[in-house]
Amino acid sequence: ALKLHKQADMQEEKNRIERVLGAISQPELIQKVLTFALSEEVRPQDTVSVIGGVAGGSKQGRKAAWKFVRDNWEELYNRYQGGFLISRLIKV
């Protein structure tokens, strides 16, 4: 799926792939998706959707996403401070 994301020409297709990534249940792949969420391959405004997809995908995903948000809070806060995306991130 990450390879398809990289090859996609249209942003709409990238967004579809980002939403599907949350369905992964293997812990090592969940971590890979969360790391991908903060990479330059994902637009900053789409990072929250990727993290939210992981959080909504499974109980394991929810725990991993929460830990990821706590571990990367400073970067996430600096990226979204003052905007609606930080409140959306907290909700997910």
Side-chain angles (χ1 to χ4, degrees):
L2 294 177
K3 184 178 178 183
L4 289 174
H5 184 275
K6 190 172 199 145
Q7 294 172 345
D9 293 333
M10 295 176 30
Q11 188 58 45
E12 184 176 296
E13 184 67 18
K14 288 181 183 279
N15 289 96
R16 279 192 209 114
I17 293 166
E18 291 166 359
R19 286 192 299 270
V20 169
L21 290 172
I24 294 170
S25 60
Q26 294 98 342
E28 65 279 356
L29 294 179
I30 288 171
Q31 290 305 314
K32 189 171 184 174
V33 170
L34 290 169
T35 300
F36 169 74
L38 279 179
S39 74
E40 292 183 8
E41 293 181 56
V42 177
R43 297 184 313 173
Q45 62 265 38
D46 297 331
T47 296
V48 173
S49 297
V50 176
I51 295 171
V54 170
S58 67
K59 187 175 181 179
Q60 280 183 318
R62 185 170 42 256
K63 288 181 180 182
W66 175 233
K67 182 178 181 335
F68 183 80
V69 168
R70 288 190 323 250
D71 292 348
N72 293 281
W73 178 250
E74 188 173 335
E75 181 176 350
L76 291 164
Y77 181 79
N78 288 336
R79 184 183 282 201
Y80 302 120
Q81 64 181 326
F84 73 94
L85 285 172
I86 193 73
S87 63
R88 184 168 169 220
L89 177 64
I90 292 168
K91 286 178 186 179
V92 300

